Coordinates of all heavy atoms in Angstrom, one line a residue:
K115 N -12.7 4.7 -22.4 CA -12.8 3.3 -22.7 C -14.2 2.8 -22.6 O -14.9 3.3 -21.7 CB -11.9 2.4 -21.9 CG -10.4 2.8 -22.0 CD -9.5 2.2 -20.9 CE -8.3 2.8 -20.8 NZ -8.2 4.2 -20.8
S116 N -14.7 1.8 -23.3 CA -16.0 1.4 -23.3 C -16.1 0.6 -22.0 O -15.1 0.0 -21.4 CB -16.4 0.5 -24.4 OG -15.6 -0.7 -24.5
G117 N -17.4 0.5 -21.4 CA -17.6 -0.2 -20.2 C -17.1 -1.7 -20.3 O -16.5 -2.2 -19.2
I118 N -17.5 -2.4 -21.4 CA -17.2 -3.9 -21.3 C -15.7 -4.0 -21.5 O -15.1 -5.0 -20.9 CB -18.0 -4.5 -22.7 CG1 -17.8 -6.1 -22.4 CG2 -17.4 -4.0 -24.0 CD1 -18.8 -6.7 -21.4
K119 N -15.0 -3.2 -22.2 CA -13.6 -3.3 -22.3 C -12.9 -3.2 -21.0 O -11.9 -3.9 -20.6 CB -12.9 -2.3 -23.3 CG -11.4 -2.3 -23.2 CD -10.8 -2.2 -24.7 CE -9.3 -2.1 -24.6 NZ -8.6 -3.2 -24.0
K120 N -13.3 -2.2 -20.2 CA -12.8 -2.1 -18.8 C -13.0 -3.2 -18.0 O -12.2 -3.6 -17.1 CB -13.4 -0.8 -18.3 CG -12.7 -0.3 -16.9 CD -13.3 0.9 -16.4 CE -12.6 1.4 -15.1 NZ -13.3 2.5 -14.5
Q121 N -14.2 -3.8 -18.1 CA -14.5 -5.0 -17.3 C -13.7 -6.2 -17.6 O -13.2 -6.9 -16.9 CB -16.0 -5.4 -17.4 CG -16.9 -4.4 -16.7 CD -18.4 -4.7 -17.1 OE1 -18.7 -5.4 -18.0 NE2 -19.3 -4.0 -16.2
V122 N -13.4 -6.4 -19.0 CA -12.6 -7.5 -19.4 C -11.2 -7.2 -19.0 O -10.5 -8.2 -18.5 CB -12.7 -7.6 -21.0 CG1 -11.6 -8.5 -21.4 CG2 -14.1 -8.0 -21.4
D123 N -10.7 -6.0 -19.1 CA -9.3 -5.7 -18.6 C -9.2 -6.0 -17.1 O -8.1 -6.5 -16.7 CB -8.9 -4.2 -19.0 CG -8.7 -4.0 -20.5 OD1 -8.5 -4.9 -21.2 OD2 -8.6 -2.7 -20.8
T124 N -10.1 -5.6 -16.3 CA -10.1 -5.8 -14.9 C -10.2 -7.4 -14.6 O -9.3 -7.8 -13.8 CB -11.4 -5.2 -14.2 OG1 -11.2 -3.7 -14.5 CG2 -11.3 -5.5 -12.7
A125 N -11.0 -8.1 -15.4 CA -11.0 -9.6 -15.1 C -9.7 -10.2 -15.5 O -9.2 -11.1 -14.7 CB -12.2 -10.2 -15.9
L126 N -9.0 -9.7 -16.5 CA -7.8 -10.3 -16.9 C -6.7 -10.0 -15.9 O -5.8 -10.7 -15.6 CB -7.5 -9.8 -18.3 CG -8.2 -10.4 -19.4 CD1 -7.9 -9.8 -20.7 CD2 -8.1 -11.9 -19.6
A127 N -6.7 -8.8 -15.3 CA -5.8 -8.3 -14.4 C -5.9 -9.1 -13.1 O -4.8 -9.5 -12.5 CB -5.9 -6.8 -14.1
L128 N -7.1 -9.4 -12.7 CA -7.2 -10.3 -11.5 C -6.7 -11.7 -11.8 O -6.0 -12.3 -10.9 CB -8.8 -10.3 -11.0 CG -9.3 -9.2 -10.4 CD1 -10.9 -9.3 -10.3 CD2 -8.7 -8.8 -9.1
E129 N -6.9 -12.1 -13.0 CA -6.3 -13.5 -13.3 C -4.8 -13.5 -13.4 O -4.2 -14.4 -12.8 CB -6.9 -13.9 -14.6 CG -6.5 -15.2 -15.1 CD -7.1 -15.6 -16.5 OE1 -8.3 -15.4 -16.6 OE2 -6.3 -16.2 -17.2
R130 N -4.4 -12.4 -13.8 CA -2.7 -12.2 -13.9 C -2.2 -12.2 -12.5 O -1.2 -12.7 -12.1 CB -2.3 -11.1 -14.7 CG -2.6 -11.3 -16.2 CD -2.2 -10.1 -16.9 NE -0.9 -9.7 -17.0 CZ 0.0 -10.2 -17.7 NH1 -0.2 -11.1 -18.6 NH2 1.3 -9.8 -17.6
A131 N -3.0 -11.4 -11.7 CA -2.6 -11.2 -10.2 C -2.5 -12.7 -9.5 O -1.6 -13.0 -8.8 CB -3.4 -10.2 -9.4
T132 N -3.6 -13.4 -9.8 CA -3.6 -14.8 -9.2 C -2.5 -15.7 -9.6 O -1.8 -16.3 -8.8 CB -5.0 -15.5 -9.5 OG1 -6.0 -14.7 -9.0 CG2 -5.1 -16.9 -8.9
K133 N -2.2 -15.5 -10.8 CA -1.2 -16.3 -11.5 C 0.3 -15.9 -10.9 O 1.1 -16.9 -10.6 CB -1.1 -16.1 -13.0 CG -0.2 -17.0 -13.8 CD -0.2 -16.7 -15.3 CE -1.5 -17.0 -15.8 NZ -1.6 -16.8 -17.3
I134 N 0.6 -14.7 -10.9 CA 1.8 -14.3 -10.3 C 2.0 -14.7 -8.7 O 3.1 -15.1 -8.2 CB 2.2 -12.8 -10.6 CG1 3.6 -12.6 -10.1 CG2 1.3 -11.8 -9.6 CD1 4.7 -13.2 -11.0
I135 N 0.9 -14.7 -8.0 CA 1.0 -15.0 -6.6 C 1.2 -16.5 -6.5 O 2.0 -16.9 -5.8 CB -0.4 -14.6 -5.9 CG1 -0.3 -13.1 -5.8 CG2 -0.5 -15.3 -4.5 CD1 -1.7 -12.5 -5.3
R136 N 0.6 -17.2 -7.3 CA 0.8 -18.7 -7.4 C 2.2 -19.1 -7.7 O 2.8 -19.9 -7.2 CB -0.2 -19.5 -8.4 CG -1.5 -19.7 -7.8 CD -2.3 -20.5 -8.9 NE -3.7 -20.5 -8.4 CZ -4.7 -20.8 -9.2 NH1 -4.4 -21.2 -10.5 NH2 -5.9 -20.8 -8.7
R137 N 2.7 -18.3 -8.7 CA 4.1 -18.6 -9.3 C 5.1 -18.3 -8.1 O 6.0 -19.1 -8.0 CB 4.3 -17.8 -10.5 CG 5.7 -18.2 -11.2 CD 6.0 -17.3 -12.4 NE 5.0 -17.6 -13.4 CZ 4.8 -16.7 -14.4 NH1 5.4 -15.6 -14.6 NH2 3.9 -16.9 -15.3
V138 N 5.0 -17.2 -7.5 CA 6.1 -16.7 -6.6 C 5.8 -17.5 -5.2 O 6.9 -17.8 -4.6 CB 6.0 -15.2 -6.4 CG1 6.8 -14.7 -5.4 CG2 6.3 -14.5 -7.7
L139 N 4.6 -17.6 -4.7 CA 4.4 -18.1 -3.4 C 4.1 -19.5 -3.3 O 4.0 -20.2 -2.3 CB 3.4 -17.2 -2.7 CG 3.7 -15.7 -2.6 CD1 2.6 -15.0 -1.9 CD2 5.0 -15.5 -1.7
G140 N 3.7 -20.1 -4.6 CA 3.1 -21.5 -4.5 C 1.8 -21.7 -4.6 O 0.9 -20.8 -4.2
A141 N 1.2 -22.8 -5.2 CA -0.1 -23.0 -5.5 C -0.9 -23.1 -4.0 O -2.2 -22.9 -4.1 CB -0.4 -24.4 -6.3
D142 N -0.3 -23.4 -3.0 CA -1.1 -23.8 -1.8 C -1.4 -22.4 -1.1 O -2.2 -22.3 -0.2 CB -0.2 -24.5 -0.8 CG 1.2 -23.9 -0.5 OD1 1.6 -23.1 -1.4 OD2 1.7 -24.1 0.6
T143 N -0.9 -21.2 -1.8 CA -1.4 -19.9 -1.1 C -2.7 -19.5 -1.6 O -3.2 -18.5 -1.1 CB -0.4 -18.8 -1.4 OG1 -0.3 -18.8 -2.9 CG2 1.0 -19.1 -0.9
V144 N -3.3 -20.1 -2.6 CA -4.6 -19.7 -3.2 C -5.7 -19.6 -2.0 O -6.5 -18.7 -2.1 CB -5.0 -20.7 -4.2 CG1 -6.5 -20.4 -4.7 CG2 -4.0 -20.6 -5.4
D145 N -5.6 -20.5 -1.1 CA -6.6 -20.4 0.1 C -6.4 -19.3 1.0 O -7.4 -19.0 1.7 CB -6.7 -21.8 0.8 CG -7.2 -22.9 0.0 OD1 -8.0 -22.7 -1.0 OD2 -6.7 -24.0 0.1
S146 N -5.2 -18.7 1.1 CA -4.9 -17.8 2.2 C -4.7 -16.3 1.6 O -4.8 -15.5 2.3 CB -3.7 -18.3 3.0 OG -2.6 -18.3 2.2
I147 N -4.4 -16.3 0.2 CA -4.1 -15.0 -0.4 C -4.8 -15.1 -1.7 O -4.7 -15.9 -2.6 CB -2.6 -14.8 -0.6 CG1 -1.9 -14.8 0.6 CG2 -2.5 -13.4 -1.4 CD1 -0.3 -14.8 0.5
R148 N -5.8 -14.0 -1.8 CA -6.6 -14.1 -3.1 C -7.0 -12.6 -3.6 O -7.5 -11.9 -2.8 CB -7.9 -14.8 -2.8 CG -8.8 -14.8 -4.1 CD -9.9 -15.8 -3.9 NE -9.4 -17.2 -3.9 CZ -10.0 -18.2 -3.5 NH1 -11.2 -18.1 -3.0 NH2 -9.4 -19.3 -3.5
P149 N -6.6 -12.4 -4.9 CA -7.0 -11.0 -5.4 C -8.5 -10.9 -5.3 O -9.2 -11.8 -5.9 CB -6.4 -10.9 -6.8 CG -5.4 -12.0 -6.8 CD -5.7 -13.1 -5.7
A150 N -9.1 -10.0 -4.7 CA -10.5 -9.8 -4.6 C -11.2 -8.9 -5.7 O -12.1 -9.3 -6.3 CB -10.9 -9.3 -3.3
Y151 N -10.8 -7.7 -5.8 CA -11.2 -6.8 -6.8 C -10.3 -5.7 -7.2 O -9.4 -5.4 -6.4 CB -12.6 -6.3 -6.4 CG -12.6 -5.6 -5.1 CD1 -12.3 -4.2 -5.0 CD2 -12.8 -6.2 -3.8 CE1 -12.3 -3.5 -3.7 CE2 -12.8 -5.6 -2.7 CZ -12.5 -4.3 -2.6 OH -12.5 -3.6 -1.4
I152 N -10.6 -4.9 -8.1 CA -9.8 -3.7 -8.6 C -11.0 -2.6 -8.6 O -11.9 -2.7 -9.3 CB -9.2 -3.8 -10.0 CG1 -8.1 -5.0 -9.9 CG2 -8.4 -2.6 -10.4 CD1 -7.6 -5.3 -11.2
R153 N -10.6 -1.5 -7.9 CA -11.4 -0.3 -7.9 C -10.6 1.0 -7.8 O -9.6 1.0 -7.0 CB -12.4 -0.4 -6.8 CG -13.5 0.7 -6.8 CD -14.5 0.5 -5.8 NE -15.6 1.5 -5.9 CZ -16.5 1.5 -5.2 NH1 -16.8 0.7 -4.3 NH2 -17.5 2.6 -5.4
Y154 N -10.7 1.8 -8.7 CA -10.0 3.1 -8.7 C -8.5 2.8 -8.8 O -7.7 3.4 -8.2 CB -10.3 4.0 -7.6 CG -11.8 4.4 -7.4 CD1 -12.5 3.9 -6.3 CD2 -12.5 5.1 -8.4 CE1 -13.8 4.3 -6.2 CE2 -13.7 5.4 -8.2 CZ -14.5 5.0 -7.1 OH -15.7 5.3 -7.0
K155 N -8.1 1.8 -9.6 CA -6.8 1.4 -9.9 C -6.1 0.7 -8.7 O -4.9 0.9 -8.6 CB -5.9 2.7 -10.5 CG -6.4 2.9 -11.9 CD -5.6 3.7 -12.7 CE -6.1 4.0 -14.0 NZ -5.1 4.6 -15.0
V156 N -6.9 0.4 -7.7 CA -6.2 -0.3 -6.5 C -6.6 -1.8 -6.5 O -7.9 -2.1 -6.5 CB -6.7 0.4 -5.2 CG1 -6.2 -0.3 -3.9 CG2 -6.4 1.9 -5.2
L157 N -5.7 -2.6 -6.6 CA -5.9 -4.0 -6.5 C -6.1 -4.4 -5.1 O -5.0 -4.3 -4.4 CB -4.8 -4.9 -7.1 CG -4.8 -6.4 -6.9 CD1 -6.0 -7.0 -7.5 CD2 -3.5 -6.9 -7.5
T158 N -7.2 -4.9 -4.6 CA -7.4 -5.2 -3.3 C -7.2 -6.8 -3.3 O -7.9 -7.6 -4.0 CB -8.8 -4.9 -2.7 OG1 -8.9 -3.5 -2.9 CG2 -9.0 -5.3 -1.2
I159 N -6.4 -7.2 -2.3 CA -6.1 -8.6 -2.0 C -6.5 -9.0 -0.7 O -6.2 -8.4 0.2 CB -4.6 -8.9 -2.2 CG1 -4.1 -8.5 -3.7 CG2 -4.2 -10.4 -1.9 CD1 -2.6 -8.7 -4.0
A160 N -7.3 -10.2 -0.7 CA -7.8 -10.7 0.6 C -6.7 -11.6 1.2 O -6.3 -12.5 0.4 CB -9.2 -11.4 0.4
C161 N -6.4 -11.6 2.5 CA -5.4 -12.3 3.1 C -6.1 -12.9 4.3 O -6.8 -12.2 5.1 CB -4.3 -11.5 3.5 SG -3.4 -10.8 2.1
I162 N -5.8 -14.2 4.6 CA -6.5 -14.9 5.7 C -6.1 -14.4 7.1 O -6.7 -14.3 8.1 CB -6.3 -16.4 5.6 CG1 -7.2 -17.1 6.5 CG2 -4.9 -16.9 5.9 CD1 -7.4 -18.6 6.2
D163 N -4.7 -13.9 7.2 CA -4.2 -13.3 8.4 C -3.1 -12.4 8.2 O -2.7 -12.1 7.0 CB -3.6 -14.5 9.3 CG -2.6 -15.3 8.7 OD1 -2.1 -14.9 7.7 OD2 -2.4 -16.5 9.1
S164 N -2.4 -11.8 9.2 CA -1.5 -10.8 9.0 C -0.1 -11.2 8.4 O 0.6 -10.5 7.7 CB -1.3 -10.0 10.4 OG -0.8 -11.0 11.3
S165 N 0.1 -12.5 8.7 CA 1.3 -13.1 8.0 C 1.3 -13.2 6.6 O 2.2 -13.0 5.9 CB 1.7 -14.4 8.7 OG 0.8 -15.3 8.5
A166 N 0.1 -13.7 6.1 CA -0.2 -13.7 4.6 C -0.1 -12.3 4.1 O 0.4 -12.1 3.0 CB -1.6 -14.3 4.4
A167 N -0.6 -11.3 4.9 CA -0.5 -9.8 4.3 C 0.9 -9.4 4.1 O 1.3 -8.7 3.3 CB -1.4 -9.0 5.1
A168 N 1.7 -9.8 5.2 CA 3.1 -9.4 5.2 C 3.8 -10.1 4.0 O 4.7 -9.5 3.4 CB 3.7 -9.8 6.5
T169 N 3.5 -11.3 3.7 CA 4.0 -12.0 2.5 C 3.7 -11.2 1.3 O 4.6 -11.2 0.4 CB 3.5 -13.4 2.4 OG1 3.8 -14.1 3.7 CG2 4.2 -14.1 1.3
V170 N 2.5 -10.8 1.1 CA 2.0 -10.1 -0.1 C 2.9 -8.7 -0.1 O 3.4 -8.4 -1.3 CB 0.6 -9.8 -0.2 CG1 0.3 -8.8 -1.3 CG2 -0.2 -11.2 -0.3
G171 N 3.1 -8.2 1.0 CA 3.8 -6.9 1.1 C 5.3 -7.0 0.5 O 5.8 -6.0 0.0
M172 N 5.8 -8.2 0.6 CA 7.2 -8.4 0.2 C 7.3 -8.5 -1.4 O 8.3 -8.3 -1.9 CB 7.7 -9.7 0.8 CG 8.0 -9.5 2.3 SD 9.0 -11.0 3.0 CE 7.7 -12.3 2.9
I173 N 6.1 -8.9 -2.1 CA 6.2 -9.1 -3.5 C 5.2 -8.1 -4.2 O 5.0 -8.3 -5.3 CB 5.9 -10.5 -3.8 CG1 4.4 -10.9 -3.5 CG2 6.9 -11.5 -3.3 CD1 3.9 -12.1 -4.2
D174 N 4.8 -7.1 -3.5 CA 3.8 -6.1 -4.2 C 4.3 -5.4 -5.4 O 3.4 -5.3 -6.4 CB 3.3 -5.1 -3.1 CG 4.3 -4.2 -2.6 OD1 5.6 -4.5 -2.8 OD2 4.0 -3.2 -2.0
Q175 N 5.5 -5.1 -5.5 CA 6.0 -4.5 -6.6 C 6.1 -5.4 -7.8 O 5.7 -5.1 -9.0 CB 7.4 -3.9 -6.5 CG 7.4 -2.6 -5.7 CD 6.6 -1.6 -6.4 OE1 5.4 -1.5 -6.4 NE2 7.3 -0.7 -7.0
E176 N 6.4 -6.7 -7.6 CA 6.4 -7.7 -8.6 C 5.0 -8.0 -9.2 O 4.8 -8.2 -10.3 CB 7.0 -9.0 -8.0 CG 7.3 -10.1 -9.0 CD 8.1 -11.2 -8.4 OE1 8.7 -11.1 -7.4 OE2 8.2 -12.2 -9.2
I177 N 4.0 -8.0 -8.2 CA 2.6 -8.2 -8.7 C 2.2 -7.0 -9.6 O 1.6 -7.2 -10.6 CB 1.7 -8.3 -7.4 CG1 2.0 -9.4 -6.6 CG2 0.1 -8.2 -7.8 CD1 1.4 -9.5 -5.2
L178 N 2.5 -5.8 -9.3 CA 2.1 -4.6 -9.9 C 2.7 -4.7 -11.4 O 2.1 -4.5 -12.3 CB 2.6 -3.3 -9.2 CG 1.8 -2.9 -8.0 CD1 2.3 -1.7 -7.4 CD2 0.2 -2.6 -8.4
E179 N 4.1 -5.0 -11.5 CA 4.7 -5.0 -12.7 C 4.1 -6.1 -13.6 O 3.9 -5.9 -14.8 CB 6.2 -5.3 -12.5 CG 7.0 -4.2 -11.9 CD 8.3 -4.4 -11.5 OE1 8.9 -5.6 -11.9 OE2 9.0 -3.6 -10.8
Y180 N 3.7 -7.3 -13.0 CA 3.3 -8.4 -13.8 C 1.8 -8.1 -14.3 O 1.5 -8.4 -15.5 CB 3.2 -9.7 -13.0 CG 2.9 -11.0 -13.8 CD1 3.9 -11.5 -14.7 CD2 1.7 -11.4 -13.7 CE1 3.5 -12.6 -15.3 CE2 1.2 -12.6 -14.5 CZ 2.2 -13.1 -15.3 OH 1.8 -14.2 -16.0
V181 N 1.0 -7.5 -13.4 CA -0.3 -7.2 -13.8 C -0.4 -6.1 -14.9 O -1.3 -6.2 -15.9 CB -1.2 -6.8 -12.6 CG1 -2.5 -6.2 -13.0 CG2 -1.3 -7.9 -11.6
N182 N 0.4 -5.3 -14.9 CA 0.5 -4.1 -15.8 C 1.3 -4.4 -17.1 O 1.2 -3.5 -18.1 CB 0.9 -2.8 -15.1 CG -0.1 -2.2 -14.1 OD1 -1.2 -2.2 -14.4 ND2 0.4 -1.8 -13.1
A183 N 2.0 -5.4 -17.1 CA 3.0 -5.7 -18.3 C 2.1 -5.9 -19.5 O 1.2 -6.7 -19.6 CB 3.7 -7.0 -18.0
G184 N 2.6 -5.2 -20.5 CA 2.1 -5.4 -21.9 C 0.7 -4.6 -22.1 O 0.1 -4.8 -23.1
Q185 N 0.2 -3.9 -21.1 CA -1.0 -3.1 -21.2 C -0.6 -1.8 -21.6 O 0.3 -1.1 -21.4 CB -1.7 -3.0 -19.8 CG -2.0 -4.4 -19.2 CD -3.0 -5.2 -20.1 OE1 -4.0 -4.6 -20.7 NE2 -2.6 -6.5 -20.1
P186 N -1.7 -1.2 -22.4 CA -1.4 0.2 -22.9 C -1.6 1.4 -21.8 O -1.1 2.4 -22.1 CB -2.5 0.4 -24.1 CG -3.4 -0.6 -23.6 CD -2.7 -1.8 -23.0
Y187 N -2.1 0.9 -20.7 CA -2.2 1.8 -19.7 C -2.1 1.0 -18.3 O -2.3 -0.1 -18.3 CB -3.6 2.6 -19.7 CG -4.8 1.7 -19.6 CD1 -5.5 1.5 -18.4 CD2 -5.2 0.9 -20.7 CE1 -6.4 0.7 -18.3 CE2 -6.3 0.2 -20.6 CZ -7.0 0.0 -19.3 OH -8.1 -0.9 -19.2
K188 N -1.9 1.7 -17.3 CA -1.8 1.1 -16.0 C -3.1 0.8 -15.5 O -4.0 1.5 -15.2 CB -1.1 2.0 -14.9 CG 0.4 2.0 -14.9 CD 1.0 2.7 -13.8 CE 2.4 2.5 -13.8 NZ 3.0 3.1 -12.6
I189 N -3.4 -0.5 -15.3 CA -4.7 -1.0 -14.8 C -4.6 -0.9 -13.3 O -5.6 -0.6 -12.6 CB -4.9 -2.5 -15.2 CG1 -5.0 -2.6 -16.7 CG2 -6.2 -3.1 -14.5 CD1 -5.2 -4.0 -17.3
V190 N -3.5 -1.1 -12.6 CA -3.4 -1.2 -11.2 C -2.3 -0.2 -10.8 O -1.1 -0.4 -11.4 CB -3.1 -2.6 -10.7 CG1 -2.9 -2.5 -9.1 CG2 -4.3 -3.4 -10.9
E191 N -2.4 0.7 -9.8 CA -1.3 1.6 -9.5 C -0.9 1.2 -8.0 O 0.2 1.5 -7.6 CB -1.8 3.0 -9.5 CG -1.9 3.5 -11.0 CD -2.4 4.9 -11.1 OE1 -2.8 5.5 -10.0 OE2 -2.5 5.5 -12.2
R192 N -1.8 0.7 -7.2 CA -1.4 0.3 -5.9 C -2.1 -0.9 -5.5 O -3.0 -1.4 -6.1 CB -2.0 1.4 -4.9 CG -1.6 2.8 -5.0 CD -2.1 3.7 -3.8 NE -3.5 3.9 -3.8 CZ -4.1 3.5 -2.6 NH1 -3.5 3.1 -1.6 NH2 -5.4 3.7 -2.5
I193 N -1.6 -1.5 -4.4 CA -2.3 -2.7 -3.8 C -2.8 -2.4 -2.4 O -2.0 -1.8 -1.6 CB -1.2 -3.9 -3.8 CG1 -0.9 -4.3 -5.2 CG2 -1.7 -5.0 -2.9 CD1 0.2 -5.4 -5.2
G194 N -4.0 -2.8 -2.1 CA -4.6 -2.7 -0.7 C -4.8 -4.2 -0.3 O -5.0 -5.1 -1.0
L195 N -4.7 -4.2 1.0 CA -4.9 -5.6 1.6 C -6.0 -5.6 2.7 O -6.2 -4.6 3.4 CB -3.5 -5.9 2.4 CG -2.3 -6.1 1.6 CD1 -1.1 -6.2 2.5 CD2 -2.5 -7.2 0.6
I196 N -6.8 -6.7 2.6 CA -7.8 -6.9 3.7 C -7.5 -8.3 4.4 O -7.2 -9.1 3.7 CB -9.3 -6.7 3.1 CG1 -9.4 -7.6 1.9 CG2 -9.6 -5.3 2.7 CD1 -10.9 -7.7 1.3
T197 N -7.7 -8.1 5.7 CA -7.5 -9.4 6.4 C -8.8 -9.8 7.3 O -9.7 -9.1 7.3 CB -6.4 -9.3 7.5 OG1 -6.6 -8.2 8.3 CG2 -5.0 -9.1 6.7

């Protein structure tokens, strides 16, 4: 894949991750849970504390499915959390 296509796909995947987190957990979670970056097919999500990280852990499969939906290849295979 060309470099720019990969960057665009990554940016869109981060946007989709933000969208599904807002939809499932509510818009007020944007300040405490935020997708940070994707590297080596790992979506890293920054969480303000361990309870926010636990919340993400409960919906991680839903996030993966939504981010990868409709894509010709898996953009994200795992989720990593940083607090």
Side-chain angles (χ1 to χ4, degrees):
K115 296 168 199 47
S116 68
I118 193 72
K119 172 139 177 53
K120 187 175 179 183
Q121 290 175 344
V122 170
D123 288 346
T124 299
L126 291 173
L128 287 171
E129 184 177 314
R130 289 175 65 84
T132 301
K133 189 181 292 186
I134 190 65
I135 289 169
R136 279 186 190 163
R137 183 181 300 159
V138 174
L139 302 177
D142 57 332
T143 60
V144 175
D145 293 330
S146 59
I147 301 170
R148 180 168 293 165
Y151 57 89
I152 298 172
R153 187 169 183 184
Y154 303 117
K155 296 192 176 197
V156 177
L157 168 62
T158 302
I159 299 177
C161 301
I162 198 163
D163 56 24
S164 60
S165 67
T169 303
V170 171
M172 291 189 295
I173 63 163
D174 61 350
Q175 286 300 77
E176 192 170 349
I177 295 170
L178 288 174
E179 290 172 10
Y180 188 80
V181 169
N182 289 318
Q185 300 299 320
Y187 63 98
K188 279 190 171 184
I189 296 174
V190 176
E191 292 179 352
R192 303 187 298 121
I193 292 179
L195 301 171
I196 53 176
T197 56

